[in-house]
Amino acid sequence: DGKIIINNARIVCKGYSQIEEIGFEETFAPVAHMEAIRMFLAFSCSKGFKVYQMDVKSALLNGELKEEVYMEQTEGFDLAEGKDFVCKLKKVLYGLKQAPRAWYAILDHYIQQQGFKKGVARSNLSIKTDEGKLLVTRVYVDDLIFASNNDEMSNEFSQNMSKEFEMSMIGELSHFLGLQVSQTKAGL
């Protein structure tokens, strides 16, 4: 009938069925608590900063594994010559318990390379200062919110992040984790 059908497939690990090994008991995600987000917004408002949001596409597929992880072949992917073969993973997959930690390690390393310092109280808060210019960013799994007193610094940050990772600039923050934010000249 002339229709074009595109089929996408994504392999997902059954992280819930992992056998106890390195890092299995730990659950990790760079999560910002609501109080911390409110404090971030209050700080931004008190300084007159514009707050922006970026979204990482396929964040959990960016991480590199540091430990050896194997998985069974998924249903429908059985190799004819080795139905009992297992796959050794080189990168993380969705569903793998190590995925959020691996993603955050890559993101954190890159942000620190860009001259940011980690917050003392929260590890997912990063601050960059440069001759009176200030940029503050907070990570929530695959979302970043950031604020600055310098538009040029904000633009440079968003461009650098988009070049390094597959990210989209959502723009000025308006909705975040159930919060509705309105930014005006009078404040947030």
Side-chain angles (χ1 to χ4, degrees), residues 109-121:
H109 179 73
Y110 179 76
I111 285 176
Q112 287 186 39
Q113 279 183 329
Q114 301 306 304
F116 284 82
K117 303 287 183 228
K118 288 177 85 159
V120 178

Side-chain angles (χ1 to χ4, degrees), residues 63-76:
E64 299 282 338
L65 285 170
K66 292 188 175 157
E67 54 269 326
E68 282 191 17
V69 177
Y70 298 89
M71 69 176 257
E72 295 176 345
Q73 295 176 46
T74 59
E75 192 175 314

